[in-house]
Structures are given as structure tokens and as C-alpha cells.
């Protein structure tokens, strides 16, 4: 059924998380607004509380009183439910000179090491040891340094931005990640008194300052949630205005959707997306921003299962990020894996089936396929979905989708 109407995108999970941890850098009370209601946000708030910060939530705002830090440890229980917990390493080291953070361990979408975070912090003078599954970092004084990232890592760049803001002297991050969430974090740190230049480019310069003021910031809209609604409109041949979709955050996705025959028109505070009668097959290759986001790969694959022809999707950021393939196949999709690529032969008919969500973005792709499939699709393990999509079933239902949540 074609989706029609307007939908509002929530605040970006991947921006809110580093901003929440950045509050640890200031001896005061910070406020973050436009925070989405998600399981990962709850985990982050819980972690801040465990560290001794006082947290309060009201509507979509979170207040963090970080005047007293009582613990420097992020436990295995929290880190294993959310890898982004490792983002407390930089702030704790800068504020307390000491941090103990569990290693994240296995992850459904590949190995996902944090070696580049650790190498960067070592370059700033930290001593890092591994002990019983925990990373222990200590330092007397962080000192600015030149750091080259072998891979432009989002989390690594964020950890280093936060640590270097309170280091002595200048830090230069080379081959830094350029995602919009990095730009927001750097702007937020600057509003706290940091001196950061170049965020959004591959070279970022940070002149360390002695002290940072508390933060008061509005989280940017979630570009992955926005992209997911854009695909929902396209896959159902609908017409949806996605409020909060920011064109400059979505250039790669927009180009590829246009290539597939989707109409996309910028409007005052969002993008209108009109799905075609027949989708054209399009090849994509994920890469770091401004390339095609790996976090949109599974959803784009759902779209391509409906294209009139064969497309190839190559995943270059994470290994093992094709777990949605088996589930899409259960719905009648014709997909073959060839190393790091998936070859998709589009079909007119997807059929509803019981399927299982394996990770956050995979669960979104199954919902998208379900919107386009005949009969009913039942997606289980939707706790993955609740990590990163705020009330997705309600938002889709308001656009005319027949979707509801059942007790698992
Ligand atoms: C962030 C996002 C995630 C997104 C990913 C890539 C958050 C909370 N999560 O994750 O949704 O899918 O960016 O856009 O913002 N790597 C190393 N060593 C390191 C760090 C990373 O080898 O120390 C590798 C990773 O294994 C991966 C690549 O670098 O292959 C990119 O990872 P990274 O950008 O760090 O992703 P995250 O910050 O974990």
C-alpha cells in the first residue's frame, strides 16, 4: 500500500550518544534537547548515572549534572549492550586522568575493534593496559599530538575530539571521519569553550583548553531514520514528506534513489519522496561519509529486491553485515552473496513471512520489505529496532501502513 503523508524525524541517536558523554567534560550541569526515546539512549543515561553524574529526563531533554564523577568504569554489562559506551574513554581520561572500560567484544556486524581509539589516546600520552577484558587508561597530563587514523573511524574521531579538547597544546587528527555527527560534536565542544577547526574535513585541529563549560545543545535530525522513511515511501510507490531530512546529509542516498527512478524534492524543512511505478536497479558501494552510509545498506537492499533488474550492493565498511539477506530470501527475494557483495535480482512479488531481526538496520530492512510484500510479515526480536528507531511502527501507521507491535 502506498504510504502518504508527512512524518517527523527524531533526533539522531549517533549524535545524541557522543553529546551525552561529552557532558562529562564539564564540571557543571548540561542540557541536551531533541533526544530520541531509544534503548541506546537509556543505556547511555544509565552509564552516566553509574559514573556518578545525576541525570534527569523531561520530554525530549536530558539534564546531566556532572559536577561529581564517582566512578571511572564502564562495565561489561553496559558495553556489551551498546558498543558506543566506549565513547566515555576520552571524556573520562580528560576529566579524571583515568578510565576503565570493558572491551566491547563480539558484535553482530563484524569484529569492530577499538584499536584506533586506543592508539590515538596513547599518542596523547595515555598509558593503556588490557586487564580481564577491560581497557585501563591512565594519564597525568594529556598532551596534544599529531594522530593519523588508518581508517576514518567515527567513534575514534569522537573519542579523540573529546580528549584533545582538554589536552595541553595542539592536536591534529588526520584522515578523520567527516560524518555530520562529528561536525555536531565539534560545534557542541566549541560552544563549551573548546577550540576545534576543520570538523567535516579529513583534517581536524584542536587547541586544548584548560576547562570546558557545560553544554546546552539541540541534537540534529537522524539521517538514518530519515533515509529509512525515504525508502519506505519509495518501496511502496508512495508520496511522503520527511520533515527533518537534511539534503546535505543525504547526498549519496538521494543520488542513488534518483538513479532508481524515485522523485525527491527539497521542501522547507525536509524532503518529499515520491516512489515510481517501477524501480530501476542501482549498484551501491558503502563507504565513509560523504559516501553511501553502511547504516542504509540493508534498507537499500530491501528497495532493490523490488527493482526491475539486477543490482549489486558492496559493503566495504563492516564485514559480515549481510545477515538480513537470509531473512529477505525467506520473503522471496533473490539475493546471492559474493564475498563482500550481494547480487540482487529484483522481483515483482515479495511474500510475507515470519522473519527475525538480527541487528538494528537489518530489522528496518525487514520492515521495509514487509511494507511491500503480499500478506503479513511478522518480524521478531524487534528489541534491535528499539535501539535506534523511535516509535517507528506508530510513524509508519500514521502514513497508512498496516503495522502494529505485538508482545514478544
Ligand atoms: C559509527 C556508528 C555506526 C556506523 C559506523 C560507520 C555510532 C554510535 N555508530 O560506529 O552506526 O555504522 O559509525 O558509519 O555513531 N575500526 C577499526 N579500528 C577502530 C575503530 C574502527 O578498525 O579502532 C574499523 C571498524 O571495524 C569499521 C570501520 O573502522 O570497519 C568504521 O568503524 P567506525 O567508524 O569506528 O564505526 P563506529 O564509530 O563504531
Amino acid at each position: 500500500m502506498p504510504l502518504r503523508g508527512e512524518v517527523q524525524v527524531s533526533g539522531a541517536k549517533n549524535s545524541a550518544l557522543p553529546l551525552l558523554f561529552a557532558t562529562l567534560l564539564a564540571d557543571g550541569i548540561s542540557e541536551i534537547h531533541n533526544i530520541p526515546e531509544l534503548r541506546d539512549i537509556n543505556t547511555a543515561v544509565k552509564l552516566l548515572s553509574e559514573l556518578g553524574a545525576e541525570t534527569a529526563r523531561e520530554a525530549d531533554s536530558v539534564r546531566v549534572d556532572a559536577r561529581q564523577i564517582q566512578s571511572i568504569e564502564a562495565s561489561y554489562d553496559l558495553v556489551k549492550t551498546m558498543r558506543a559506551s566506549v565513547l566515555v574513554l576520552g571524556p573520562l581520561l580528560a576529566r579524571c586522568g583515568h578510565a576503565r572500560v570493558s572491551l566491547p567484544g563480539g558484535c553482530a556486524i563484524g569484529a569492530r575493534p577499538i584499536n584506533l581509539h586506543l592508539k590515538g589516546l596513547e599518542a596523547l600520552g595515555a598509558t593503556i593496559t588490557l586487564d580481564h577484558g577491560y581497557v585501563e587508561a591512565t594519564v597525568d597530563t594529556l598532551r596534544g599530538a599529531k594522530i593519523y587514523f588508518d581508517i576514518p573511524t567515527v567513534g575514534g574521531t569522537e573519542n579523540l575530539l573529546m580528549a584533545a579538547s582538554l589536552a595541553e597544546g595542539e592536536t591534529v587528527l588526520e584522515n578523520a571521519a567527516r560524518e555530520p555527527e562529528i561536525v555536531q560534536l565539534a560545534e557542541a565542544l566549541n560552544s563549551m569553550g573548546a577550540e576545534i577547526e576543520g570538523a567535516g574535513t579529513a583534517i581536524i585541529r584542536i587547541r586544548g583548553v584548560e576547562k570546558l563549560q557545560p553544554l546546552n545543545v539541540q541534537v540534529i535530525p537522524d539521517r538514518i531514520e530519515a533515509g529509512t522513511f525515504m525508502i519506505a515511501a519509495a518501496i511502496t510507490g508512495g508520496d511522503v514528506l520527511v520533515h527533518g531530512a537534511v539534503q546535505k546529509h543525504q547526498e549519496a542516498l538521494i543520488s542513488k534513489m534518483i538513479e532508481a527512478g524515485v522523485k525527491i524534492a527539497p521542501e522547507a524543512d525536509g524532503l518529499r519522496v515520491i516512489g515510481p511505478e517501477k524501480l530501476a536497479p542501482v549498484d551501491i558501494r558503502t563507504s565513509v561519509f560523504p559516501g553511501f552510509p553502511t547504516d542504509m545498506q540493508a534498507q537499500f537492499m530491501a528497495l532493490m529486491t523490488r527493482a526491475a533488474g539486477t543490482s549489486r550492493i558492496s559493503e566495504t565498511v563492516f564485514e559480515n553485515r549481510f545477515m538480513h539477506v537470509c531473512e529477505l530470501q525467506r520473503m522471496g527475494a533473490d539475493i546471492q552473496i559474493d564475498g563482500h557483495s550481494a547480487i540482487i535480482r529484483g522481483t515483482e512479488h515479495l511474500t510475507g513471512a515470519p522473519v527475525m531481526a538480527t541487528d538494528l538496520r537489518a530489522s528496518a530492512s525487514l520492515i521495509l520489505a514487509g511494507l511491500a510484500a503480499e500478506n503479513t510479515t511478522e518480524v521478531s526480536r524487534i528489541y534491535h529496532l528499539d535501539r535506534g528507531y523511535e516509535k517507528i511502527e506508530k510513524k509508519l501507521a500514521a502514513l497508512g501502513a498496516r503495522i502494529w507491535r505485538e508482545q514478544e
Side-chain angles (χ1 to χ4, degrees):
M1 175 146 125
L3 298 188
R4 287 185 200 288
E6 303 185 8
V7 63
Q8 178 64 51
V9 171
S10 301
K13 166 178 91 70
N14 287 354
S15 223
L17 294 174
L19 291 174
L20 280 167
F21 296 135
T23 63
L24 294 169
L25 292 163
D27 177 0
I29 304 173
S30 293
E31 280 186 29
I32 307 180
H33 310 285
N34 197 30
I35 293 236
E37 210 179 304
L38 301 171
R39 215 154 58 92
D40 275 8
I41 298 293
N42 297 342
T43 308
V45 170
K46 187 159 173 220
L47 174 51
L48 289 172
S49 309
E50 283 190 7
L51 298 174
E54 287 198 13
T55 58
R57 235 171 137 158
E58 206 184 301
D60 67 356
S61 299
V62 173
R63 237 155 66 103
V64 184
D65 180 345
R67 284 176 296 186
Q68 293 209 346
I69 309 272
Q70 277 150 358
S71 156
I72 46 85
E73 180 172 306
S75 67
Y76 179 59
D77 278 347
L78 285 182
V79 181
K80 76 170 187 240
T81 51
M82 185 183 71
R83 290 188 82 262
S85 308
V86 301
L87 293 175
V88 294
L89 256 180
L92 283 177
L93 200 55
R95 175 88 184 269
C96 311
H98 191 182
R100 211 173 116 82
V101 174
S102 169
L103 272 174
C107 165
I109 60 172
R112 297 187 83 169
I114 57 162
N115 57 319
L116 302 174
H117 303 228
L118 303 182
K119 214 172 132 194
L121 293 170
E122 273 178 334
L124 297 186
T127 303
I128 302 218
T129 51
L130 294 181
D131 166 41
H132 294 94
Y134 279 74
V135 172
E136 182 124 19
T138 49
V139 73
D140 283 331
T141 312
L142 287 170
R143 283 182 220 286
K146 194 163 159 171
I147 294 159
Y148 169 79
F149 289 112
D150 294 321
I151 305 172
T153 152
V154 174
T157 304
E158 291 169 344
N159 245 333
L160 268 295
L161 273 178
M162 294 189 276
S165 289
L166 285 177
E168 251 182 46
E170 188 180 70
T171 298
V172 182
L173 305 181
E174 293 181 346
N175 201 24
R178 292 180 278 167
E179 273 68 2
E181 294 75 22
I182 302 279
V183 176
Q184 164 141 73
L185 176 63
E187 284 173 357
L189 291 168
N190 282 344
S191 76
M192 297 168 82
E195 294 185 16
I196 301 172
E197 276 169 26
T201 75
I203 298 183
I204 307 181
R205 284 174 198 280
I206 306 125
R207 270 182 301 278
V209 295
E210 255 181 40
K211 204 170 154 27
L212 292 173
Q213 302 306 316
L215 176 61
N216 192 323
V217 70
Q218 180 93 7
V219 178
I220 56 171
D222 195 308
R223 65 194 165 97
I224 306 302
E225 188 199 7
T228 303
F229 286 121
M230 289 166 68
I231 297 214
I235 202 170
T236 60
D239 178 346
V240 175
L241 176 53
V242 185
H243 289 287
V246 179
Q247 186 171 359
K248 67 172 195 254
H249 294 170
Q250 302 284 11
E251 296 293 8
L253 176 65
I254 291 173
S255 295
K256 288 297 173 177
M257 287 182 73
I258 289 175
E259 214 179 308
V262 181
K263 285 205 180 75
I264 299 183
E267 295 208 2
D269 75 333
L271 296 171
R272 177 174 294 281
V273 180
I274 303 172
E277 214 148 87
K278 254 203 163 85
L279 285 157
V282 171
D283 295 344
I284 63 162
R285 199 181 169 77
T286 64
S287 70
V288 294
F289 191 85
F292 191 96
T294 171
D295 284 352
M296 283 302 302
Q297 181 257 107
Q299 299 91 313
F300 203 86
M301 189 178 301
L303 184 69
M304 286 298 101
T305 62
R306 303 280 292 155
T310 302
S311 55
R312 172 184 278 264
I313 295 186
S314 306
E315 173 59 57
T316 75
V317 179
F318 291 114
E319 55 195 270
N320 194 20
R321 205 178 194 178
F322 282 142
M323 269 109 44
H324 43 285
V325 169
C326 297
E327 303 299 310
L328 290 171
Q329 284 167 337
R330 303 191 64 251
M331 299 176 69
D334 181 348
I335 307 173
Q336 274 175 4
I337 305 273
D338 174 19
H340 293 292
S341 297
I343 291 125
I344 304 120
R345 289 189 188 82
T347 166
E348 295 252 314
H349 299 286
L350 289 177
T351 50
V355 288
M356 197 154 49
T358 48
D359 68 56
L360 171 55
R361 305 307 169 185
S363 44
S365 89
L366 299 177
I367 288 189
L368 292 169
L371 290 175
E374 294 161 5
N375 305 322
T376 307
T377 301
E378 190 179 310
V379 185
S380 56
R381 298 201 178 165
I382 53 165
Y383 51 85
H384 288 293
L385 201 68
D386 295 331
R387 281 192 44 220
Y389 287 94
E390 185 176 51
K391 303 187 183 89
I392 190 172
E393 77 281 11
K394 293 213 168 76
K395 291 186 183 186
L396 287 171
L399 295 172
R402 286 193 296 272
I403 178 170
W404 64 95
R405 179 181 290 255
E406 288 188 347
Q407 221 59 43
E408 262 193 286

PDB file of all heavy atoms in Angstrom, residues 77 132 247 249 273 302 362 364:
ATOM      1  N   ASP A  77      28.543  -5.260  31.361  1.00  0.00           N
ATOM      2  CA  ASP A  77      27.092  -5.359  31.153  1.00  0.00           C
ATOM      3  C   ASP A  77      26.559  -4.232  30.284  1.00  0.00           C
ATOM      4  O   ASP A  77      25.694  -4.446  29.444  1.00  0.00           O
ATOM      5  CB  ASP A  77      26.359  -5.330  32.505  1.00  0.00           C
ATOM      6  CG  ASP A  77      26.373  -6.709  33.137  1.00  0.00           C
ATOM      7  OD1 ASP A  77      26.727  -7.662  32.408  1.00  0.00           O
ATOM      8  OD2 ASP A  77      26.056  -6.815  34.321  1.00  0.00           O
ATOM      9  N   HIS A 132      41.756  -8.416  32.198  1.00  0.00           N
ATOM     10  CA  HIS A 132      40.476  -9.094  32.409  1.00  0.00           C
ATOM     11  C   HIS A 132      39.352  -8.566  31.528  1.00  0.00           C
ATOM     12  O   HIS A 132      38.232  -8.345  31.994  1.00  0.00           O
ATOM     13  CB  HIS A 132      40.051  -8.982  33.884  1.00  0.00           C
ATOM     14  CG  HIS A 132      40.962  -9.723  34.805  1.00  0.00           C
ATOM     15  ND1 HIS A 132      42.018  -9.115  35.443  1.00  0.00           N
ATOM     16  CD2 HIS A 132      40.994 -11.018  35.164  1.00  0.00           C
ATOM     17  CE1 HIS A 132      42.662 -10.000  36.177  1.00  0.00           C
ATOM     18  NE2 HIS A 132      42.064 -11.177  36.003  1.00  0.00           N
ATOM     19  N   GLN A 247      19.113  17.687   3.234  1.00  0.00           N
ATOM     20  CA  GLN A 247      19.673  17.311   1.935  1.00  0.00           C
ATOM     21  C   GLN A 247      21.181  17.089   1.991  1.00  0.00           C
ATOM     22  O   GLN A 247      21.690  16.087   1.473  1.00  0.00           O
ATOM     23  CB  GLN A 247      19.333  18.393   0.907  1.00  0.00           C
ATOM     24  CG  GLN A 247      19.767  18.001  -0.485  1.00  0.00           C
ATOM     25  CD  GLN A 247      19.246  18.955  -1.542  1.00  0.00           C
ATOM     26  OE1 GLN A 247      18.531  19.911  -1.238  1.00  0.00           O
ATOM     27  NE2 GLN A 247      19.610  18.702  -2.780  1.00  0.00           N
ATOM     28  N   HIS A 249      23.006  16.096   4.258  1.00  0.00           N
ATOM     29  CA  HIS A 249      23.391  14.875   4.982  1.00  0.00           C
ATOM     30  C   HIS A 249      23.075  13.620   4.173  1.00  0.00           C
ATOM     31  O   HIS A 249      23.421  12.512   4.583  1.00  0.00           O
ATOM     32  CB  HIS A 249      22.631  14.762   6.316  1.00  0.00           C
ATOM     33  CG  HIS A 249      22.991  15.835   7.291  1.00  0.00           C
ATOM     34  ND1 HIS A 249      22.293  16.044   8.456  1.00  0.00           N
ATOM     35  CD2 HIS A 249      23.993  16.760   7.273  1.00  0.00           C
ATOM     36  CE1 HIS A 249      22.837  17.062   9.119  1.00  0.00           C
ATOM     37  NE2 HIS A 249      23.863  17.509   8.417  1.00  0.00           N
ATOM     38  N   VAL A 273       9.407  12.652  -1.014  1.00  0.00           N
ATOM     39  CA  VAL A 273       9.873  11.478  -1.748  1.00  0.00           C
ATOM     40  C   VAL A 273       8.680  10.813  -2.418  1.00  0.00           C
ATOM     41  O   VAL A 273       7.700  10.477  -1.748  1.00  0.00           O
ATOM     42  CB  VAL A 273      10.560  10.483  -0.790  1.00  0.00           C
ATOM     43  CG1 VAL A 273      11.058   9.264  -1.547  1.00  0.00           C
ATOM     44  CG2 VAL A 273      11.708  11.163  -0.066  1.00  0.00           C
ATOM     45  N   ALA A 302      16.588  -3.835   0.622  1.00  0.00           N
ATOM     46  CA  ALA A 302      15.144  -4.131   0.578  1.00  0.00           C
ATOM     47  C   ALA A 302      14.536  -3.442  -0.644  1.00  0.00           C
ATOM     48  O   ALA A 302      13.742  -4.043  -1.382  1.00  0.00           O
ATOM     49  CB  ALA A 302      14.475  -3.653   1.867  1.00  0.00           C
ATOM     50  N   ALA A 362      19.235  -4.103  10.031  1.00  0.00           N
ATOM     51  CA  ALA A 362      18.614  -5.270   9.397  1.00  0.00           C
ATOM     52  C   ALA A 362      17.134  -5.294   9.732  1.00  0.00           C
ATOM     53  O   ALA A 362      16.292  -5.583   8.879  1.00  0.00           O
ATOM     54  CB  ALA A 362      19.287  -6.546   9.890  1.00  0.00           C
ATOM     55  N   ALA A 364      15.185  -2.824  10.278  1.00  0.00           N
ATOM     56  CA  ALA A 364      14.488  -1.814   9.468  1.00  0.00           C
ATOM     57  C   ALA A 364      14.266  -2.333   8.050  1.00  0.00           C
ATOM     58  O   ALA A 364      13.204  -2.113   7.455  1.00  0.00           O
ATOM     59  CB  ALA A 364      15.304  -0.527   9.440  1.00  0.00           C
TER      60      ALA A 364
END
